[in-house]
Amino acid sequence: MVTHEQWENFTQTDHNTWKILFERQSSLLKQRAAEDIIQGLEKLEICNDQIPKFSTLNHILKKETNFSIVPVKGFIPEDLFFKFLSIRKFPSTCFIRKPSQLDYLEEPDIFHDVFGHIPLLVNPIFSDFMELFGRKGLEAIEAGMLKFAATLYWFTVEFGLVQSANGLRIYGAGITSSKGESIYCLDSEVPTRIKFNSLRAMKTQYHIDSFQKTYFVIESFQQLFDVL
């Protein structure tokens, strides 16, 4: 499950795929993503020329919020995932999707994990929230309430929206790494966008293989931390 980064194994096709995804999403998110994501990408010097090295990102991350990236082979058990978060480590996959999978991938790849999740870990409040989520996630497993923790994670960390001074913005990694959902979540009249309520979020059904029918809107990352 836990592995070593083998960056040198990426092919030129892999780096080209990263470049296409990066340029498409960074352009799309300029007026759609929370400012903290744009700032995080800049601070981490994540760019379009090649897939970033975890070692380079970790050097900056550790300095900013004492978080680091742990390379994993794919999905890991929930208890290990939450354990990593509780010690300020974020597990990331080490493969990238094929060029034919640009718009949809069933499991997270390095673009989803690094472009989607890592920029917000530069934010001190959000990184504290993620550490706390790890601890609370472990408690939820012990209490037989994993389903509720997983659902809350889905509607915040993966598919959350935030009300900013500039209007509704994206912060969830599942949205920021998806071209289609980046547009749909803000522009479509189909989904409902609800003021964030943790109990309601935990009891709401989510969709893995389609755009969400419901999005929860937070006021700030401090609100997320306080509610947790």
Side-chain angles (χ1 to χ4, degrees):
M1 288 178 284
V2 178
T3 185
H4 298 288
E5 182 180 21
Q6 296 178 314
W7 185 88
E8 63 281 357
N9 290 347
F10 286 123
T11 65
Q12 191 55 50
T13 299
D14 293 333
H15 291 300
N16 288 342
T17 298
W18 173 275
K19 180 180 174 69
I20 292 167
L21 289 167
F22 181 93
E23 290 181 347
R24 187 170 78 172
Q25 284 308 105
S26 55
S27 172
L28 191 60
L29 294 176
K30 279 178 184 171
Q31 304 300 321
R32 293 175 175 271
E35 187 61 31
D36 304 85
I37 291 174
I38 309 300
Q39 291 172 355
L41 285 166
E42 291 173 357
K43 196 164 280 189
L44 291 163
E45 300 173 9
I46 298 174
C47 54
N48 67 348
D49 57 349
Q50 62 184 18
I51 297 167
K53 295 178 181 177
F54 290 166
S55 53
T56 305
L57 296 174
N58 281 345
H59 181 71
I60 302 169
L61 261 183
K62 290 285 283 186
K63 192 168 59 176
E64 293 292 331
T65 58
N66 202 32
F67 245 92
S68 61
I69 304 165
V70 177
V72 295
K73 292 179 180 176
F75 285 118
I76 60 174
E78 290 89 352
D79 58 343
L80 183 58
F81 178 77
F82 288 133
K83 175 66 176 172
F84 275 137
L85 291 186
S86 74
I87 55 173
R88 299 181 86 85
K89 294 182 184 296
F90 189 86
S92 172
T93 49
C94 302
F95 75 95
I96 193 161
R97 67 195 73 181
K98 296 180 175 65
S100 60
Q101 299 171 307
L102 289 180
D103 291 325
Y104 179 70
L105 196 66
E106 284 188 5
E107 59 180 319
D109 69 343
I110 196 169
F111 183 77
H112 168 82
D113 285 335
V114 169
F115 185 93
H117 284 286
I118 302 305
L120 273 186
L121 293 179
V122 173
N123 180 287
I125 298 170
F126 193 83
S127 63
D128 286 349
F129 162 74
M130 289 292 274
E131 178 194 343
L132 183 59
F133 209 118
R135 299 207 305 269
K136 293 292 185 181
L138 292 172
E139 290 176 17
I141 290 173
E142 283 189 24
M145 298 177 72
L146 172 62
K147 180 181 79 168
F148 297 109
T151 304
L152 186 62
Y153 188 91
W154 183 270
F155 282 118
T156 56
V157 180
E158 293 291 356
F159 289 93
L161 299 177
V162 58
Q163 190 66 52
S164 76
N166 298 314
L168 203 56
R169 292 291 184 265
I170 299 160
Y171 75 91
I175 309 177
T176 58
S177 58
S178 164
K179 177 189 176 184
E181 196 134 12
S182 294
I183 298 168
Y184 168 89
C185 73
L186 296 182
D187 295 359
S188 174
E189 294 179 2
V190 174
T192 53
R193 300 168 185 88
I194 303 169
K195 188 174 180 181
F196 178 69
N197 176 288
S198 58
L199 291 177
R200 182 166 181 179
M202 286 190 283
K203 294 178 180 179
T204 300
Q205 186 175 6
Y206 61 84
H207 304 270
I208 295 175
D209 54 359
S210 64
F211 292 157
Q212 302 306 301
K213 289 185 170 62
T214 303
Y215 297 98
F216 287 89
V217 182
I218 62 168
E219 296 168 9
S220 66
F221 296 140
Q222 187 65 51
Q223 178 194 15
L224 274 186
F225 182 85
D226 293 343
V227 163
L228 203 57

